[in-house]
Amino acid sequence: MEFAIDGITQGLVLALLGLGITIVFGLGGVLNLSIGVFSAIAVVIAIELLGITSSLPLSVVLAVVAVTGLGLVVDKSLLSFVYRSEGEERVLLGIFVTLGLATLLDGLLVIARPSSYSLSVGVPSTTVLGAQIRGSSIAIIAISLAVFAGLYYFFRRTYLGRAMRTVLQDETGAVLCGISPRKMRTLVFVLSASIAAVAGILYSFTQQVGAAEGFELTILALIVSIVGGVTSIVGAVAAGLVLGLIATFTSAYVGAYVAEIALFAAAIVALLLQPEQVA
């Protein structure tokens, strides 16, 4: 049971990372390869603020706000050029722009804070049905479920959420209804930056996070998004949970190196079985 809890915990973080990739690609046709660096930046900011405020919740909230602001700046500057193109040209341009941004931010992060960091949640461990559950796992599960519940309500019950889904399903129809696709893309990119920040902070509850881990987090996000169908929000969440369980059990019984191979194998199988999703 302990391995299952660890797998669910890791899967929820993976689901958040994959969701950050999926919503931007699904709505705007941009593959955001800087999402992992956003996550790492959030952790570094939280660590710095923790030394000032001595309050983990406040530091985390302010770090998420800061990364959300960074996402808005990126959208209004770099992505404005990307969205002027269409189709495959937009996808390719988005890859190069976000990859270049990731390289730049990664370099700045290495110069400013070359070390890796982790956050301690201060939640005590508990025992359920004879299995010990770590406090970090409890915190990750609780926060992740709260985030997913908030996102579900946002996309299903609010005007902005429904507008985003309308653009995703039928952009021409959305324009005829008075919805601005560009504004919706700005909102969704800012939302993805927020999700990336939360995912990075949750990841730091159990792992070291820094500039070196930014690229790794981006790869994990891509794998989850691919396995989930690239444009499916529900698929990204389900894929994250499944891959988290696969990685945890494979790492426990075979080895961490084999677990990484298993994740890439799952992505390859998904590409072979659903080529139309990424065409």
Side-chain angles (χ1 to χ4, degrees):
M1 183 175 178
E2 292 179 0
F3 284 150
I5 295 297
D6 289 342
I8 292 172
T9 300
Q10 182 176 355
L12 288 170
V13 176
L14 291 178
L16 285 172
L17 288 169
L19 188 59
I21 287 276
T22 295
I23 59 175
V24 174
F25 186 80
L27 188 67
V30 174
L31 197 59
N32 182 16
L33 297 183
S34 62
I35 190 168
V37 182
F38 281 15
S39 297
I41 290 174
V43 175
V44 172
I45 293 176
I47 289 291
E48 292 296 322
L49 291 174
L50 185 59
I52 299 174
T53 65
S54 300
S55 171
L56 180 61
L58 178 59
S59 299
V60 167
V61 170
L62 292 177
V64 172
V65 171
V67 173
T68 300
L70 174 61
L72 179 60
V73 171
V74 170
D75 177 86
K76 290 299 186 180
S77 55
L78 296 176
L79 291 189
S80 293
F81 298 101
V82 176
Y83 286 132
R84 293 175 185 174
S85 56
E86 298 290 341
E88 293 184 1
E89 182 182 350
R90 177 187 292 177
V91 175
L92 291 174
L93 184 58
I95 288 174
F96 283 112
V97 168
T98 57
L99 183 59
L101 174 64
T103 303
L104 172 63
L105 294 177
D106 186 69
L108 294 175
L109 202 57
V110 169
I111 295 173
R113 290 291 183 271
S115 301
S116 295
Y117 306 91
S118 62
L119 291 166
S120 177
V121 293
V123 176
S125 300
T126 187
T127 301
V128 178
L129 300 177
Q132 187 176 28
I133 303 176
R134 291 175 295 181
S136 58
S137 296
I138 296 173
I140 291 172
I141 292 173
I143 295 173
S144 298
L145 292 180
V147 171
F148 285 127
L151 289 173
Y152 177 84
Y153 180 83
F154 174 75
F155 281 112
R156 294 287 180 177
R157 302 298 182 183
T158 67
Y159 170 77
L160 286 177
R162 290 195 295 267
M164 288 181 184
R165 290 171 55 210
T166 301
V167 174
L168 175 61
Q169 296 167 0
D170 183 5
E171 183 171 327
T172 301
V175 173
L176 294 176
C177 292
I179 299 173
S180 169
R182 181 65 185 94
K183 290 182 179 179
M184 292 301 104
R185 290 185 181 118
T186 295
L187 289 173
V188 83
F189 190 83
V190 168
L191 180 62
S192 76
S194 302
I195 294 173
V198 173
I201 288 170
L202 295 182
Y203 190 79
S204 73
F205 289 171
T206 59
Q207 305 287 338
Q208 293 283 321
V209 178
E213 286 71 36
F215 180 73
E216 177 184 348
L217 292 174
T218 296
I219 295 299
L220 291 173
L222 282 172
I223 291 174
V224 172
S225 183
I226 290 171
V227 174
V230 184
T231 59
S232 171
I233 294 176
V234 175
V237 175
L241 289 171
V242 171
L243 292 176
L245 289 168
I246 290 174
T248 298
F249 280 96
T250 304
S251 179
Y253 291 106
V254 184
Y257 179 73
V258 178
E260 293 182 4
I261 296 176
L263 294 181
F264 279 101
I268 292 171
V269 171
L271 286 172
L272 293 175
L273 294 179
Q274 299 177 325
E276 72 280 358
Q277 295 288 346
V278 293

